[in-house]
Amino acid sequence: MGTERWDTTAFKSRVDGVLHHFVAREADLLATVDPALGPVADQLEAAVADGKRLRAAFCYWGWRAAGQPDSDALVRAASSMELVHAAAVVHDDLIDDSPLRHGRPTAHLALRDAVSGHPLPVAAARSLAMLVGNLLMALAGQLFTGSGLPAAYLVRARPLWSLLARELIAGECLEILRTGAVPDTTASLKVIRYKTAKYTVEQPLLIGGTLAGAGERLRAGYSAYGLPLGEAFQLRDDLLGLFGDPERTGKADSDDVRGRRPTALWAEAWRIAGAADRERLRSLLGRAEPDREGLDAIREVMSGLGAPDQVENMIHARVEEALDALHELDMPASAAGALTELAHAATVRPC
């Protein structure tokens, strides 16, 4: 890979190659235990079939920005960030009972055929999906430690893995605990920070930088860039979750409403709304399964209140904060350019 101009397509191909080869081998090993495990093995491969590979890219540029050269071993280590994401997605879809991911049935739905003869097929399929997510997280650690990087480098980054897991679980738990509570933007942003922002941008950058031996100032700069950018990434996802086209996002547009998720979009709408609009929102959200007409009505109320515009402003402010922090750091021009490009790739996504 050239150092003057980052080829995002070539990088994604490198990560895809690592992931597909590694997971295919692990899926085959799982299936050799018993033919009945074939559908479970298939879901391991499905979990890494698609993706923008942003987390791997942030880890890679955390390494390069610290002055290290391109490295196939580092790309393998960075690819482990995508297995963390795959595990989180399988678990998140299970927790939220989401039906679609990348336009395909989620793992807990796809696995129902494998347990059609089970006395409790829905519960059994959900249990299998939980185990798929658990195995993906274990495989992330296996790929990282077997990446080929020197053991001394890997030891430096080991504490960050514990932090990553703790904060990711904390964020998932906070979302569950906040669901159904009075909407509050500050609380919603805390959920975003721990559930998504940290493991999407900040921690991959820090892991890459720590592997590379980055100094304290550079690592602090990674956090100053990564946290607001990670929040902007999830705020964009919240907007797409209700206002996006499922044909383009690959996800259902009713999940956040149906699950009463404590998104910042919902919290901002509630903050702005007067008594009449709040009562209207309560009525619409009180339906067990919102139909297309109900979803359109919720969008209309939120748009009328200006909540989507407020969230857009929050995204813009966070991207600007991230880029300001980036410009304060002393790093190679290629790294600064790539991290600027990644900031836009993470937050400017089609509806």
Side-chain angles (χ1 to χ4, degrees):
M1 181 181 299
T3 56
E4 293 303 312
R5 173 90 180 154
W6 184 39
D7 187 335
T8 56
T9 302
F11 179 80
K12 182 179 182 303
S13 294
R14 290 174 79 183
V15 174
D16 284 345
V18 170
L19 289 172
H20 296 163
H21 175 76
F22 176 76
V23 175
R25 184 187 65 198
E26 292 297 327
D28 286 346
L29 290 171
L30 180 66
T32 60
V33 174
D34 192 288
L37 291 168
V40 180
D42 290 344
Q43 287 307 304
L44 284 177
E45 294 193 78
V48 298
D50 303 289
K52 295 177 284 294
R53 311 312 186 199
L54 290 173
R55 293 156 186 84
F58 283 119
C59 185
Y60 177 85
W61 285 106
W63 165 272
R64 294 295 306 277
Q68 293 281 9
D70 179 58
S71 159
D72 287 339
L74 189 280
V75 170
R76 286 191 291 273
S79 297
S80 69
M81 300 292 99
E82 297 300 328
L83 288 174
V84 172
H85 177 53
V89 164
V90 171
H91 285 152
D92 199 44
D93 288 342
L94 181 60
I95 291 166
D96 296 333
D97 201 22
S98 299
L100 289 175
R101 177 72 63 166
H102 297 298
R104 296 190 301 270
T106 47
H108 62 280
L109 292 184
L111 285 163
R112 286 188 186 179
D113 288 343
V115 291
S116 57
H118 195 283
L120 298 171
V122 173
R126 292 176 67 84
S127 296
L128 288 175
M130 177 186 68
L131 293 169
V132 168
N134 291 351
L135 182 51
L136 285 165
M137 185 62 86
L139 291 177
Q142 181 181 327
L143 180 58
F144 185 79
T145 57
S147 62
L149 287 171
Y153 289 25
L154 297 173
V155 167
R156 288 198 295 246
R158 185 177 297 161
L160 292 175
W161 274 83
S162 297
L163 181 63
L164 182 156
R166 184 186 314 121
E167 293 184 334
L168 175 55
I169 295 299
E172 286 282 8
C173 290
L174 283 173
E175 182 175 68
I176 294 169
L177 292 167
R178 288 295 308 173
T179 296
V182 175
D184 178 82
T185 300
T186 300
S188 293
L189 289 172
K190 189 169 190 177
V191 170
I192 282 173
R193 172 165 287 205
Y194 283 91
K195 181 188 170 187
T196 303
K198 283 177 165 287
Y199 98 90
T200 296
V201 186
E202 184 200 24
Q203 286 160 339
L205 276 168
L206 288 173
I207 287 172
T210 301
L211 287 169
E216 184 177 349
R217 183 175 183 276
L218 183 56
R219 286 184 280 113
Y222 286 169
S223 292
Y225 163 88
L227 282 172
L229 182 58
E231 290 179 3
F233 172 86
Q234 184 56 45
L235 288 167
R236 173 64 63 205
D237 216 48
D238 288 349
L239 280 176
L240 293 174
L242 183 59
F243 290 91
D245 178 359
E247 292 293 323
R248 302 186 72 178
T249 65
K251 297 186 286 187
D253 59 358
S254 61
D255 281 1
D256 288 350
V257 172
R258 180 170 50 82
R260 312 292 193 272
R261 295 177 189 165
T263 65
L265 175 62
W266 165 232
E268 281 297 285
W270 191 258
R271 180 183 65 80
I272 299 165
D277 283 322
R278 286 186 176 185
E279 185 55 39
R280 175 71 170 144
L281 286 170
R282 279 196 198 96
S283 174
L284 291 167
L285 291 167
R287 301 177 185 179
E289 188 68 37
D291 55 17
R292 186 57 44 191
E293 181 181 344
L295 284 171
D296 287 342
I298 290 169
R299 293 188 190 99
E300 183 179 352
V301 173
M302 287 192 169
S303 295
L305 291 168
D309 293 335
Q310 286 294 109
V311 174
E312 286 285 0
N313 290 339
M314 293 164 71
I315 293 170
H316 178 75
R318 282 162 173 76
V319 173
E320 288 300 307
E321 181 183 348
L323 293 177
D324 286 346
L326 179 65
H327 296 151
E328 292 295 316
L329 296 175
D330 181 20
M331 63 176 61
S334 57
L339 289 170
T340 300
E341 187 176 336
L342 279 167
H344 294 293
T347 56
V348 181
R349 288 178 278 162
C351 294

